[in-house]
Amino acid sequence: MTKNYRWFQKIYLNLISSIVFYTSIPLPYISGLDFTGVSRLVTLIGLLIGGILGIFDFLIASIGMPILTRSALVVIVWIIITGGLHLDGAMDTADGLAAPDAKQRLQVMADSRIGAFGTMAGLAVILLKTVALVDIQNYRWLVLMAACGWGRWGQQMAIVCYPYLKPTGKGYFHKKALGPYINLLPGLFSLIVFITLATIRYRVNLYFFMGILLIGIIIAISTSAWFNYKIGGHTGDTYGAVVEWTEALFLCALAIF
């Protein structure tokens, strides 16, 4: 009994630690939090964030909010819930990519100030998410949850599959915590189960189901690989960039369906 209690307590504390680390959701003070393994549960945190956004979208739709205004508000709440953590990384990464060589890129990304390229990248992500959501009329809650989930599974891909370029950086502990490739499977499995159950329950079109599944996998893998190709590895900033661009591109692709 004591062993089972300790196991549940550990899972509970890990989940709370992940929520505290990756979101700005207000929680009461809880002792015993350990942030070293938060990246293991990041895909579940994505589904949680997407679920909150889906509920918010439903509530403002029920009072007759036009879809353009609704989509803009959803994206704003999206930024608020994450505390701009990943968007900041995407903007710093864009500034770094503007530098001519890899060494300078890391130096630019370490600078907390946002430059012109970072500003443009941030605006591009926000704009793409907003206009894509305007074009997605049905199953928006499912799309939002899937987008947030795939974005964070893409982050796990970046952590596990590619070298971390700053051994003393703030994101290095993620690399140590996730370890081998097999640790990508729980997040992938949770996304597949969620999408399958949701589509069966609500009788979603088969093509839409396959689109959510295959497009999510392809974009999550591609974004993490692309940033690795451009920089030669990953940092905490590029982890955030992978999340933001996976989410934005996933929504753009699903707008076709």
Side-chain angles (χ1 to χ4, degrees):
M1 188 73 176
T2 304
K3 187 176 181 180
N4 289 336
Y5 171 77
R6 288 178 179 173
W7 184 82
F8 280 113
Q9 184 185 44
K10 183 179 179 181
I11 295 296
Y12 169 74
L13 289 175
N14 286 341
L15 180 61
I16 297 300
S17 298
S18 299
I19 293 173
V20 171
F21 186 87
Y22 285 112
T23 77
S24 59
I25 297 172
L27 294 174
Y29 174 77
I30 299 173
S31 61
L33 297 183
D34 181 7
F35 297 102
T36 56
V38 292
S39 56
R40 296 172 188 161
L41 298 178
V42 69
T43 305
L44 291 178
I45 301 304
L47 292 175
L48 172 64
I49 293 171
I52 294 172
L53 294 175
I55 293 171
F56 175 71
D57 182 63
F58 173 78
L59 291 175
I60 59 177
S62 65
I63 61 173
M65 183 76 70
I67 192 166
L68 176 58
T69 308
R70 201 166 96 217
S71 299
L73 286 173
V74 166
V75 173
I76 290 171
V77 172
W78 202 334
I79 296 170
I80 292 172
I81 291 176
T82 60
L85 175 67
H86 306 303
L87 186 60
D88 178 69
M91 295 168 75
D92 285 337
T93 300
D95 281 331
L97 289 174
D101 61 71
K103 186 176 180 180
Q104 282 183 307
R105 287 171 183 169
L106 292 178
Q107 291 175 346
V108 171
M109 289 162 62
D111 191 338
S112 60
R113 293 171 295 182
I114 302 298
F117 288 95
T119 302
M120 289 186 285
L123 290 173
V125 168
I126 293 170
L127 183 61
L128 286 174
K129 286 184 177 182
T130 303
V131 296
L133 280 173
V134 171
D135 289 330
I136 298 172
Q137 303 282 333
N138 302 317
Y139 306 113
R140 284 164 64 94
W141 64 271
L142 173 56
V143 171
L144 286 165
M145 292 183 72
C148 293
W150 286 123
R152 283 145 188 83
W153 190 71
Q155 180 186 14
Q156 286 188 321
M157 282 286 302
I159 294 171
V160 170
C161 299
Y162 304 107
Y164 188 78
L165 298 177
K166 298 165 64 178
T168 58
K170 295 179 181 178
Y172 183 63
F173 69 95
H174 294 313
K175 183 75 174 176
K176 292 178 64 178
L178 270 181
Y181 292 94
I182 195 171
N183 287 323
L184 290 171
L185 295 180
L188 179 62
F189 180 73
S190 65
L191 282 166
I192 292 174
V193 169
F194 159 70
I195 294 168
T196 302
L197 292 177
T199 51
I200 291 173
R201 171 65 180 82
Y202 292 96
R203 299 181 182 179
V204 175
N205 182 289
L206 179 61
Y207 293 109
F208 192 62
F209 165 72
M210 294 303 296
I212 289 177
L213 210 56
L214 296 180
I215 290 173
I217 292 173
I218 292 170
I219 292 178
I221 292 174
S222 298
T223 51
S224 59
W226 188 83
F227 283 110
N228 172 72
Y229 168 74
K230 295 298 290 185
I231 300 178
H234 278 273
T235 68
D237 286 327
T238 61
Y239 291 161
V242 168
V243 173
E244 289 292 339
W245 282 107
T246 299
E247 291 174 342
L249 294 174
F250 176 80
L251 291 179
C252 290
L254 278 200
I256 299 171
F257 291 89

